[in-house]
Amino acid sequence: SGWPLLADPASSLRAANRDQEAPILDLGDVLTRAPEFSARMRPDFVLRVGETPVSKAQRLWVEAAEPAEIWWLDEGLHWGDPSHRATRVIRGAAVSLLNTASDALEAYGFRDRNWCRDFERANRAARQGVDACATADEAWSGVPIAAALTSAMPDGGVLFSSNSMSIRLLEIAYANASPAFRILCNRGASGIDGINSTALGVAAGLRKPTALLTGDLAFLHDLSGLLLARREELPLTILVIDDNGGGIFSFLPVAQQGEDVSFERLFHTPHDLDLARVAELFEVDYHRAESTTELKAALAASLGTACVSIIHARVDPSANSAGFREIIAAGITAVDATVDRAAALDGAAVLDGAAVLGGSAA
């Protein structure tokens, strides 16, 4: 159709970009955070496929645009419309419906590329801005760590993402140019439960090279799951981003209240544990990584092996949250620069069009 497709990381659609003509975008979150771009590019029609996308910015962009139609193709059979804006919900048969619609559009020769080109141009600019900031020599935070993992994943492998900050890091770090691998993720209020156990189960069930991207709290929450690693040879690499607590809360409004609400103790919840002792306890391989070079070496040594290993990536909590904000800001600046150039060429015309949101796999 020529509609831009904003692909959630857990949809696994970004790997399809190499084989299909579909305009799959890997930085919809940054595009919809950019003030100029999000104000100028307001869809009249939105088609959402699957579960609720990770990106809050994307959801707010759709709400602000107030499109006349929002169709949701749902195969999860449960309510997942937090905005309460869907004008039509279609349960099941998404693949056959989309194939039929695609054939019909092709027969009628309908393909509007102008609207889509602006999205593709902005997405390229966003990726350049994000990558330039994330690959700087001094960069050592969640996004470059997640990017190193996606680049190191073998074709046909499986990446299991923890909830909370891990999947949001992949939202930014997982580029279309990455190897073709499958992403799985537990979402929702109980998404922290059983992260290690689920990843071990994936590795046991699929018997493919598997990686787990998780934070330290989710990892510690399910330590008992590692008992399986002592009884079975499983191809699982566990990459733990350790900022000594719940780093995601530093991005929420409660962080501004500081110690008036005992933020450090009740929200950040530092544990002050050395995760190397976990590897010793459960007798699994252990690698410490404190730079991108060390991380790449550890990933090369562990991915694809037939045993469980832990890669411990320690980051300073303040530097980690600052690094995320800097990378997002670099992407936004790059996106809005493309809008300024386009406005100079076409007289700042406001475009109308449609978009497809690719939600998380059920």
Side-chain angles (χ1 to χ4, degrees):
S1 66
W3 293 7
L5 200 159
L6 282 63
D8 186 273
S11 69
S12 296
L13 288 173
R14 296 182 187 182
N17 194 51
R18 299 181 297 179
D19 304 320
Q20 301 182 18
E21 295 181 3
I24 297 173
L25 309 179
D26 58 13
L27 276 174
D29 181 80
V30 173
L31 301 187
T32 52
R33 289 175 188 259
E36 297 297 328
F37 183 88
S38 59
R40 186 170 185 261
M41 308 298 285
R42 292 175 173 263
D44 295 317
F45 190 109
V46 172
L47 177 65
R48 176 157 74 86
V49 183
E51 300 301 312
T52 305
V54 168
S55 173
K56 179 180 178 181
Q58 191 169 286
R59 174 172 61 82
L60 295 177
W61 169 67
V62 172
E63 291 177 359
E66 297 184 337
E69 298 284 347
I70 301 178
W71 289 19
W72 174 26
L73 307 187
D74 169 43
E75 294 188 323
L77 300 181
H78 60 81
W79 188 248
D81 179 26
S83 301
H84 301 282
R85 301 294 180 91
T87 58
R88 176 171 293 184
V89 179
I90 302 173
R91 303 287 193 184
V95 172
S96 60
L97 188 152
L98 291 170
N99 283 336
T100 302
S102 179
D103 292 342
L105 291 170
E106 196 70 33
Y108 284 103
F110 177 81
R111 186 178 291 274
D112 179 7
R113 294 291 298 176
N114 292 329
W115 164 257
C116 186
R117 285 194 185 100
D118 283 342
F119 274 89
E120 292 177 305
R121 186 184 304 113
N123 191 83
R124 285 194 298 271
R127 178 53 64 193
Q128 291 171 357
V130 163
D131 288 353
C133 189
T135 57
D137 290 339
E138 68 277 9
W140 180 246
S141 62
V143 173
I145 291 171
L149 175 59
T150 59
S151 297
M153 286 293 299
D155 277 330
V158 183
L159 196 167
F160 186 84
S161 174
S162 182
N163 198 2
S164 192
M165 202 64 202
S166 296
I167 190 64
R168 288 169 174 82
L169 294 175
L170 287 174
E171 174 76 66
I172 307 302
Y174 179 22
N176 281 337
S178 302
F181 55 87
R182 184 179 179 186
I183 291 188
L184 300 174
C185 179
N186 288 346
R187 299 282 292 137
S190 298
I192 193 175
D193 292 341
I195 291 296
N196 302 337
S197 299
T198 310
L200 286 159
V202 169
L206 298 180
R207 291 291 170 178
K208 294 182 178 181
T210 305
L212 165 62
L213 178 66
T214 183
D216 48 313
L217 289 188
F219 176 72
L220 291 169
H221 192 67
D222 186 29
L223 278 188
S224 60
L226 293 177
L227 285 170
L228 183 63
R230 298 190 63 191
R231 299 200 305 267
E232 302 284 344
E233 287 191 354
L234 300 175
L236 177 66
T237 296
I238 302 174
L239 174 53
V240 185
I241 302 177
D242 179 7
D243 59 357
N244 195 31
I248 193 170
F249 291 103
S250 64
F251 297 97
L252 301 180
V254 68
Q256 305 305 314
Q257 299 182 48
E259 291 314 298
D260 289 342
V261 294
S262 300
F263 177 81
E264 189 69 8
R265 182 173 68 89
L266 298 180
F267 292 90
H268 184 231
T269 60
H271 52 79
D272 299 319
L273 295 174
D274 183 0
L275 301 189
R277 299 173 66 183
V278 173
E280 182 181 354
L281 175 64
F282 290 97
E283 299 176 355
V284 297
D285 290 344
Y286 174 84
H287 307 267
R288 185 186 297 274
E290 296 186 351
S291 69
T292 303
T293 301
E294 292 179 355
L295 175 58
K296 289 180 178 179
L299 288 168
S302 58
L303 277 173
T305 61
C307 62
V308 175
S309 59
I310 296 173
I311 300 177
H312 184 194
R314 298 181 64 179
V315 294
D316 177 80
S318 298
N320 190 44
S321 58
F324 184 87
R325 291 185 172 93
E326 289 169 6
I327 290 168
I328 294 294
I332 290 173
T333 298
V335 168
D336 278 348
T338 68
V339 175
D340 291 341
R341 289 195 294 271
L345 293 174
D346 67 14
V350 176
L351 304 181
D352 296 318
V356 179
L357 308 184
S360 307

